[in-house]
Amino acid sequence: MIILIPAYEPDLQLPALIRSIRDAEPWATVVVVDDGSGPEYKDVFDGVKALGCHVIGYARNRGKGFALKTGFGFIADHLPGQNVVCADSDGQHTIVDILSVAAAVRPGSAAMVLGTRNFTGSVPARSRFGNSATRLLFTLATGERISDTQTGLRGYPAAMLPWLRSIRGERYEYELNLLLEAKQAGYAIRTVDIATVYLNHNAGSHFRPVADSVRIYAPLLKFLASSFAAFLVDTLVFLLLTLVTDSLLLAVVGARAVSSAVNFLVNRRVVFEHGRDKPAAAAGLRYFSLVIVLLAANYGLIYALDALMVAALPAKILTEITLLAVSYAVQQRFLFSPAGGKSRDEARDAGRAGQQPVRPIR
């Protein structure tokens, strides 16, 4: 077993964590990645190295995802064939939980193991909200439910390392991307319950609420922007058609046809990562079939809400929000999903191609 710890500007919680690992598992191999912390933190990393850890890193901060992939590359090259458990450096993962996740990783299996928290007790509001939001995004995108999508305590079998190195993302979005891509790549996700620990209200976290949230929620934000753009196009074309034709039906259908075509092209090329994996004709046929189904559902839901005496405006808003979520889930999981997923050999080659040079820094 190898314990991989990415660290950016760590405090004394990092050497405390290493000492607890040494007390429980004296022969465990620990790899620490200095994510460009700077010379001010040399003493911390020197102390970690003195405790028998491999310390690697680079000059400038690149983000947690980059640090993890750097660590995976180092392990694959210098310590191959061993399972890896990733833990955070801020002391919020106990040694008991680290070892529990490690014990759940099966050599040769095709499953990652997540240490999932239940978020009871005193939990910072941003952490509770952030996990709820990413949990919803993950469920919409995959149809699977995971109680803690933001956990940093994760275990991976050795054979999974090439694939881990091939996944896009350099900062906090990387760990969510792993979950989103796992099923298509043929990997299962298992969970182990762990303690919910927030030291000093999570003051040691380097998560940037605005910048990092935008990265994490980028797929959903792009979808919402695309849908809003399609709404604007629909409205503009509708107004133009009402000026040149006396047919309301033609204006409505024509506007929806143009806006749907624009929405399809934007979603296929910009919004969804695997949008162009399938031929345009096949994806287009499925997309416009979805448009027809959603139109029928739109009418049916509004009709049903009207029968329940719901006012027109709230009924329209509730219907649009519901169908927007359905549309995102269907497009992500079926219309623009990977054509076949990467094979294990393709993941290995992609991981090698994206490998970054690393060096011991102490």
Side-chain angles (χ1 to χ4, degrees), residues 25-322:
E25 293 287 332
W27 307 113
T29 301
V30 181
V31 176
V32 176
V33 181
D34 176 4
D35 184 23
S37 301
E40 299 87 352
Y41 295 86
K42 181 178 183 300
D43 289 346
V44 177
F45 288 105
D46 283 346
V48 166
K49 186 177 181 181
L51 292 171
C53 299
H54 297 274
V55 179
I56 60 174
Y58 32 84
R60 67 182 181 89
N61 175 249
R62 300 294 298 270
K64 186 179 183 182
F66 188 92
L68 287 169
K69 287 189 278 189
T70 297
F72 294 143
F74 177 84
I75 292 167
D77 291 340
H78 302 282
L79 304 163
Q82 299 186 62
N83 298 336
V84 180
V85 175
C86 300
D88 292 341
S89 64
D90 54 9
Q92 296 186 20
H93 297 143
T94 69
I95 183 59
V96 172
D97 289 334
I98 291 173
L99 295 180
S100 294
V101 170
V105 180
R106 304 302 181 197
S109 72
M112 68 177 73
V113 178
L114 307 184
T116 55
R117 300 159 291 182
N118 56 20
F119 293 95
T120 57
S122 178
V123 178
R126 71 173 185 178
S127 298
R128 190 183 296 275
F129 172 79
N131 190 71
S132 297
T134 53
R135 185 171 62 236
L136 174 61
L137 171 61
F138 180 77
T139 300
L140 285 174
T142 66
E144 298 183 20
R145 292 182 179 274
I146 294 178
S147 62
D148 185 4
T149 56
Q150 293 187 323
T151 178
L153 180 53
R154 306 182 179 203
Y156 307 102
M160 196 178 288
L161 262 62
W163 176 76
L164 294 171
R165 298 163 68 189
S166 74
I167 300 301
R168 71 194 188 284
E170 293 194 351
R171 295 189 179 274
Y172 286 101
E173 78 279 8
Y174 170 72
E175 289 180 305
L176 180 60
N177 290 341
L178 287 178
L179 301 183
L180 292 171
E181 299 281 346
K183 184 175 181 180
Q184 293 295 338
Y187 294 114
I189 300 172
R190 296 173 181 164
T191 61
V192 172
D193 291 339
I194 64 171
T196 305
V197 180
Y198 284 102
L199 302 178
N200 193 24
H201 298 284
N202 209 20
S205 173
H206 295 285
F207 183 85
R208 301 167 299 174
V210 176
D212 290 323
S213 292
V214 167
R215 285 177 175 270
I216 289 173
Y217 306 129
L220 185 57
L221 293 174
K222 287 191 292 185
F223 179 79
L224 293 174
S226 172
S227 299
F228 182 68
F231 164 76
L232 294 178
V233 170
D234 189 277
T235 302
L236 179 60
V237 175
F238 174 79
L239 293 175
L240 290 174
L241 289 177
T242 57
L243 293 176
V244 300
T245 180
D246 293 329
S247 172
L248 177 62
L249 177 62
L250 180 60
V252 171
V253 174
R256 183 55 58 94
V258 173
S259 64
S260 296
V262 170
N263 187 243
F264 168 72
L265 292 174
V266 173
N267 286 356
R268 183 170 184 264
R269 293 180 174 274
V270 178
V271 175
F272 294 103
E273 177 74 13
H274 300 284
R276 285 181 280 185
D277 284 4
K278 292 184 175 68
L285 178 61
R286 294 184 180 184
Y287 174 83
F288 286 103
S289 297
L290 174 65
V291 169
I292 293 172
V293 171
L294 290 178
L295 275 173
N298 189 295
Y299 175 80
L301 281 174
I302 292 178
Y303 183 87
L305 291 171
D306 180 67
L308 294 173
M309 306 302 291
V310 178
L313 181 58
K316 177 64 173 175
I317 293 174
L318 180 60
T319 297
E320 294 297 339
I321 291 175
T322 301

